[in-house]
Every structure is written in structure tokens, then in C-alpha cells.
Amino acid sequence: MDVHGHLIAGRWVTAGDPIENRNPSDIDDVVGLYARGGTGQVAEAVATARAAFPAWSRTTPQQRFDLLDAVGTELLARKQELGRLLAREEGKTLAEGIGETARAGQIFKFFAGEALRLGGESLPSVRPNIQVRISREPLGVVGLITPWNFPIAIPAWKIAPALAFGNCIVFKPAELAPGCAWALTDILHRAGAPAGVVNLVMGKGSVIGQALLDNPEVDAVSFTGSIDTGRVVARTCAGRLAKFQLEMGGKNPLVVLDDADLDTAVECAINGAFYSTGQRCTASSRLIVQAGIHDAFVDAMAARMKALVVDDALKEGTQIGPVVDQAQLDKDLAYIDGARADGGELVAGGERLNRDKNGYYLSPALFVSTTNSMRLNREEVFGPVAGVIKVADYDEALGVANDTAFGLSAGCCTRSHKHAAHFQANSQAGMVMINLPTAGVDYHVPFGGRKGSSYGPREQGRYAAEFYTTVKTAYDLPL
Ligand code: NAD
């Protein structure tokens, strides 16, 4: 098998023992071999990005539009093939993989347009005859560190704005899903990204990621991943005064009020808690249900969960793919055991499953009789495991929803305009959904949260310019 290399200074480089990328639906299936870099590759990639920056930052918006638009076109044209690669290496279903690839294409198209639309302001000075102009300039070299669970969409929503606004990048994807990262980099390279503007270095986070954080020539770091790694990014970047942005975990509440439409609530909960195998930062892992609808909701959930098809991500009809790897599966099972020990009652799923192929299959698990103080409801599991918390009324539901260290997404199923409006206004999450799953967002609007879920400016939409540019205020006295 050929080794897929890093992209450094416009050339593919293979170095070190490659990473074996395995299919979590069928662990005997090796998706590909991917180079595992070291600190030397990071230093080279950063230096080449630095050297490419002056010319790239002076390109016209049209040149940047053309590059990003061409990348978007290829992603959309190849969404079946790349969606299949995504499902094969990460384990979400083929339909989810294709959808995510299409979204990556749309993100590139959106930011192609943003390259043209980046504006500034012109104001009269408070002093006579002086003009003040406020403009946005690129940052320089940006390090992009991404997780495995959205292996094409998250790189897209970092790379596209970074390039649109004139930055050069060093991209470090997650070890578990390098295939999509490599394919995306290959598209950027063939679409004409000049040498050094786009660099890819694959390998271990503690080596490659850390080297990016430590390198004084990296002007900014955009990170998505767990809260523990986020803290490392924050400490290191703050220590050398580099700009940084963090998108981290969630413990997202879905409130179901007595007046909710039961079918809508169940669909929101099934989708939000279990689709993509629950491996979404926006997953609804806390289901906060009012007493009057509680039993009907739990019965309907249990019935609906029995019908969910858990199998090979590439198989037609599969609704829930495997867990991503053995370590995550062990973690999911430990949370299931822990929830039982803490007094939770498992009403559906939670079993290790055998299928035709040897993969990491787990039936989605639903606990009832849980409280918001249980570990299950405090920590991010990042698997298909949800707890139901019974509450007396709306006020208690809102209080429980907000009683968390996280604040990414929050949902409420209700027919009451009063409660919907109050929840939207008083939820302490960055994204609020009424009668919709907590997961599943648009690509043209900001994405991000509060508290332990996010730090720094929002990603996506036109708000992405806040992170990927720096503001200049220019004063001019015409003589
Ligand atoms: P992770 O923190 O283990 O890894 C994320 C990235 O950081 C990987 O590329 C990893 O190699 C790298 N890394 C690890 N150690 C590093 C270090 N010392 N220095 C620099 N980089 C390092 O997270 P993961 O397991 O890949 O992803 C799952 C997590 O991501 C979950 O917590 C999930 O909620 C979160 N996530 C958040 C969002 C969001 O937008 N809020 C989206 C998707 C996933």
C-alpha cells in the first residue's frame, strides 16, 4: 500500500512509520496508510507557510475566490466517493458521510464569496479634516488542529476562512481519520493553492499539535477537540501571546415539555442523541422531560430505539454506525456501568453487538431515573448514551438545562410560544433549537458555544472573520 504523505512546500513528503487507518465497521479493513510526522516536519511546514505569506496575503479577492470555489465544486462533485471514504474511516453512515462532504463543499463556496465581501469602515475623525479607516488584515500563519468526528466539515470550516482572508495554514488532522484530511488537501493542492500556502502534517497530537502550539512563527491556532486538549492549547498559546480559538465538548440538554408534540420530541431525541453514534459535540445527551409526558416519551423512545439498525456504516439501511475505536467503546461501556452503579435504570440498549463484520458496535443506550448530578449527566461521554432527567415544570427544566459546565447547544420541544421564547432568551448555550434536534446546523451562520464548550470568536458564517483577521485603524490627514 502506498503511504499518503504530508504536504509541505507544495510537495508530498512521507516520513516516519505510517499510521494504519482502520475501518471501525470492519477492523480487518485497512483504509490506507498515512505518514506520521515529527517536529521536523512541523518546523519545515511553518517556515514554508511564513515564506509564502507575503505573496498570498497580497493576492486579489478574485484569486482567492477562484481557488475556494474550485475546491467547493470538486467536493460537491465527489461527495459520493468522499462520503464513502468518510464513512469507512470514521464510522458514520454513508448518508451522513455524503451529507458532511456536501456541507464541506458548500462551506468552501460560501467563503469564496466572503473573500469578495470582506469590507471595512470609513469614519470622520473627531478632529478636523482627518479621516479614519478601519480594515481587516490577515494574521499570517495559522495552525489548524481538528478532531476525528467531522473529518471533512471541520477542516473545511477552518481552512476556507483562513485562506479566504489571506492567511497561510499548517493543518494537523486527528490521527483516527486522516483520509478525508489528505483528500481535502490534495484537492486544494491540485486546485492551485501556491506552494507553502496550504501545508498538511499528520501524526500524534502530543507531537505535531504541540509543536504547532510551541512554534513562535505560528501566529494563531484554531482548535476543535476535547476540553482537556483545549486547556493545553489555551495555556500554551496564552503563554506566548498567540491568538487562539477553541471549540470543545458539550453536554447538551433537550427539554421536552408536557405540551410537546410527542413524535417531534422523540425524533429530536433519537436524532440528537444517537445519530452519528452520538459522537457529536452537539449531541443531546441530557433529555430533560416534564413529568406529565415522561412515561409516554420513555415508552416511545424505547420502542423507537429497538427498531434502530446498528451495523456497518457502508451497508444500506444502517442508521447507526460503529463507535470510532476500542478506546472510545471502552469509555462508553464504562459510563454505562457507572450510570447503573449510580442508580440509573437502563431501559434500552447499552449492549456490545456482534455483526457480520468485526467492528465496534454498541446499541444506543437510554437511562431513566437519572439526576443531573450523576456523572453520566455531568461529563461528555461522546457516544450513543443518553440520560432522562424527570422535572416538574418549565422553570425546573430550564434550571437543569443550564446547570452544566458546558454551553454549546440546547433544545426545547414545546407548542408554547411563551416557553419557546423564554427558553431561547434564557438558555446559556451558544445555539438554541426549538422543536429541532440539538445537532444539525446551517453552514452560513455562526457556530459555537459558551462556558466550557468554546473560547474566543465564533466559527463559520461572516463571524469567522473575527478570528482569521486582525483589525487596523488608519488615520489620514490629507495634505
Ligand atoms: P482531542 O482533544 O483528543 O483531539 C483533537 C485534536 O487535538 C487532534 O488532532 C489531536 O491529535 C490534537 N491534540 C491532542 N493532543 C494535543 C496537544 N498536546 N497539543 C496540540 N494538539 C493536540 O479530541 P478528539 O477525541 O479528536 O475529538 C472529540 C472531542 O472534540 C469531543 O470532546 C467533542 O465534543 C469535540 N468536538 C467539538 C466540536 C465543536 O465545534 N465544539 C466539534 C467536534 C468535536
Side-chain angles (χ1 to χ4, degrees), residues 254-262 264-265 268 290 293 394 411-424 433-436:
L254 176 71
V255 169
V256 178
L257 296 180
D258 281 351
D259 66 6
D261 176 69
L262 184 62
T264 303
C268 287
Q290 203 177 347
I293 198 172
Y394 169 76
C412 182
C413 292
T414 179
R415 285 193 179 97
S416 150
H417 288 302
K418 182 178 134 197
H419 287 141
H422 192 271
F423 190 79
Q424 276 184 334
M433 316 288 182
I434 302 298
N435 297 320
L436 287 166

Side-chain angles (χ1 to χ4, degrees), residues 313-401:
L314 296 177
K315 200 163 157 181
E316 212 181 311
T318 294
Q319 291 170 299
I320 312 279
V323 173
V324 74
D325 70 352
Q326 186 65 52
Q328 184 62 51
L329 180 64
D330 291 345
K331 190 175 161 196
D332 296 350
L333 291 169
Y335 272 105
I336 290 169
D337 286 347
R340 264 206 205 96
D342 287 345
E345 187 195 334
L346 186 63
V347 289
E351 283 161 25
R352 178 76 169 92
L353 302 173
N354 291 317
R355 291 291 179 259
D356 292 347
K357 294 188 176 140
N358 184 13
Y360 306 113
Y361 299 108
L362 176 67
S363 55
L366 184 70
F367 280 92
V368 296
S369 308
T370 76
T371 65
N372 200 40
S373 58
M374 283 181 186
R375 230 181 123 200
L376 174 73
N377 291 324
R378 305 306 304 171
E379 298 172 11
E380 184 184 50
V381 178
F382 218 54
V385 186
V388 175
I389 303 166
K390 195 197 274 191
V391 291
D393 54 25
Y394 169 76
D395 290 338
E396 188 186 353
L398 177 66
V400 171

Side-chain angles (χ1 to χ4, degrees), residues 146-398:
T146 58
W148 49 265
N149 69 321
F150 281 93
I152 202 154
I154 293 178
W157 81 53
K158 294 184 190 300
I159 294 172
L163 298 179
F165 303 135
N167 301 283
C168 294
I169 62 157
V170 181
F171 167 34
K172 185 262 173 265
E175 299 93 299
L176 278 175
C180 288
W182 190 92
L184 177 57
T185 307
D186 173 53
I187 293 172
L188 280 151
H189 179 53
R190 284 187 293 95
V197 170
V198 172
N199 300 277
L200 169 76
V201 186
M202 296 171 287
K204 273 179 83 75
S206 55
V207 178
I208 307 299
Q210 190 66 47
L212 268 178
L213 302 182
D214 290 335
N215 193 313
E217 292 292 321
V218 175
D219 299 292
V221 174
S222 178
F223 166 84
T224 301
S226 62
I227 192 160
D228 290 341
T229 314
R231 285 200 178 94
V232 175
V233 176
R235 269 199 303 272
T236 317
C237 289
R240 63 177 183 83
L241 303 181
K243 190 173 185 181
F244 64 95
Q245 165 187 61
L246 312 174
E247 287 298 342
M248 301 170 286
K251 198 68 213 171
N252 309 291
L254 176 71
V255 169
V256 178
L257 296 180
D258 281 351
D259 66 6
D261 176 69
L262 184 62
D263 291 344
T264 303
V266 169
E267 281 319 302
C268 287
I270 292 282
N271 175 328
F274 304 130
Y275 283 4
S276 300
T277 322
Q279 298 173 153
R280 293 189 285 194
C281 50
T282 47
S284 324
S285 49
R286 292 184 301 141
L287 305 173
I288 300 165
V289 186
Q290 203 177 347
I293 198 172
H294 176 274
D295 293 356
F297 174 79
V298 170
D299 288 348
M301 284 291 288
R304 182 77 174 72
M305 288 171 70
K306 281 200 186 84
L308 285 175
V309 180
V310 183
D311 208 331
D312 185 337
L314 296 177
K315 200 163 157 181
E316 212 181 311
T318 294
Q319 291 170 299
I320 312 279
V323 173
V324 74
D325 70 352
Q326 186 65 52
Q328 184 62 51
L329 180 64
D330 291 345
K331 190 175 161 196
D332 296 350
L333 291 169
Y335 272 105
I336 290 169
D337 286 347
R340 264 206 205 96
D342 287 345
E345 187 195 334
L346 186 63
V347 289
E351 283 161 25
R352 178 76 169 92
L353 302 173
N354 291 317
R355 291 291 179 259
D356 292 347
K357 294 188 176 140
N358 184 13
Y360 306 113
Y361 299 108
L362 176 67
S363 55
L366 184 70
F367 280 92
V368 296
S369 308
T370 76
T371 65
N372 200 40
S373 58
M374 283 181 186
R375 230 181 123 200
L376 174 73
N377 291 324
R378 305 306 304 171
E379 298 172 11
E380 184 184 50
V381 178
F382 218 54
V385 186
V388 175
I389 303 166
K390 195 197 274 191
V391 291
D393 54 25
Y394 169 76
D395 290 338
E396 188 186 353
L398 177 66

